[in-house]
Amino acid sequence: MDTIDDERIVRGMLSWLCEPGDARLRQLLAQHTPIDVLDLLLRRGVSFVRRPEIRHLPLSRLRGEAAAAVEAAQRGGGRVVIPADPDWPTGLRHRDGGEPVCLWALGPAPIPPQAGSVTIVGSRASSSYGNHVAADMAAELAATDWTVVSSGGLGIDGAVLRATLAAGGRAVAVLPCGLDRLHPHQHRALLERVAETGLLLSAQPPGAEPTLARMAAHRALLAALTAGTVVVEASTRSAALQTLRQALDLGRAGLVVPGPVTSVLSAGCLEVLRTDARVRPVGCAGHIVADLAPPPAPPGR
């Protein structure tokens, strides 16, 4: 492609070249248009850090490979979402202040608005109690037309997605990898079902494998996407609590299921309830709706 005038395609290509939130890319985008940035990187030799998966490719192949990756994603039913789109999540930032150059989406459902959507996450090594509570909450919320967002992870997150689908609701799964690299592999069939009726969403381009740094971007997206984050089970070092804290820092609601005091999987939930006054305990879908739903308009308005 010698002339690129579609910002969506260009941003998809930049995302394929660089890590989301890359400081150098962010600096260039603050000073130039995306089309000019792509030209600076690929024609004028401005140095940048490539994604690990493409470091072996010669510079001469990068433009063609990047354009082909975007085209293949769109041909397969995927789409590239950019900050100019009306459904771009507000407040989406990494801890270093960076923002993904675009998002990658797959599935018929739109990116949900904050109002009427909720993120539910929890421990990977969940208990039967936690799975039961998470599934009940997700099913009840889905039945009342809430969009339920989680990761594709094992444990609580998988229970949330399965229950939402079983209730005929809108399920959104946020992944820390390219949407052609469904993670974890144990949930491939589940995530494929989400893509059939709901939405898969990622800040990572096709071909990107999950890494620790990409997990952080994935948690930022989980936190920014909805009106609030609910944690069902979490140890004191659980990544689910990091998602909760990012949601709180964005001004979203932070909700926690207290859980039994005898369970190590509830230790993180109990600790955050004790130490952060912004967090509220919940025990059912009704509590979540009460805390997240906007108040009714006064009579006569």
Side-chain angles (χ1 to χ4, degrees), residues 20-21 29 32 38 42 47 69 89 96 128 174 203 229 239 249 267 299:
L29 286 171
H32 307 279
L38 188 66
L42 299 184
S47 62
D96 64 354
S128 57
V174 177
T229 293
D249 290 344

Side-chain angles (χ1 to χ4, degrees), residues 165-247:
L165 292 173
R170 293 185 299 273
V172 177
V174 177
L175 304 185
C177 53
L179 300 183
D180 59 341
R181 299 283 194 273
L182 298 183
H183 174 83
H185 67 87
Q186 298 96 320
H187 280 176
R188 173 173 291 276
L190 172 62
L191 295 171
E192 288 174 346
R193 287 174 55 209
V194 172
E196 290 173 2
T197 59
L199 187 69
L200 300 181
L201 195 62
S202 180
Q204 309 302 329
E209 299 289 348
T211 65
L212 288 177
R214 291 167 181 173
M215 291 286 185
H218 148 263
R219 288 190 290 272
L221 181 53
L222 278 168
L225 203 56
T226 67
T229 293
V230 182
V231 177
V232 176
E233 282 187 325
S235 66
T236 54
R237 300 179 65 180
S238 172
L241 296 182
Q242 297 176 30
T243 303
L244 179 75
R245 293 186 180 103
Q246 291 199 49

Side-chain angles (χ1 to χ4, degrees), residues 121-127 130 156 230-242 244-245 256-260 263-272:
V121 292
S123 174
R124 291 183 48 173
S126 55
S127 68
I156 295 297
V230 182
V231 177
V232 176
E233 282 187 325
S235 66
T236 54
R237 300 179 65 180
S238 172
L241 296 182
Q242 297 176 30
L244 179 75
R245 293 186 180 103
V256 166
V257 176
S263 172
V264 68
L265 292 174
S266 295
C269 297
L270 294 169
E271 182 64 17
V272 77

Side-chain angles (χ1 to χ4, degrees), residues 276-293:
D276 196 327
R278 299 172 295 174
V279 179
R280 288 175 58 84
V282 292
C284 63
H287 293 166
I288 297 171
V289 172
D291 281 352
L292 298 189

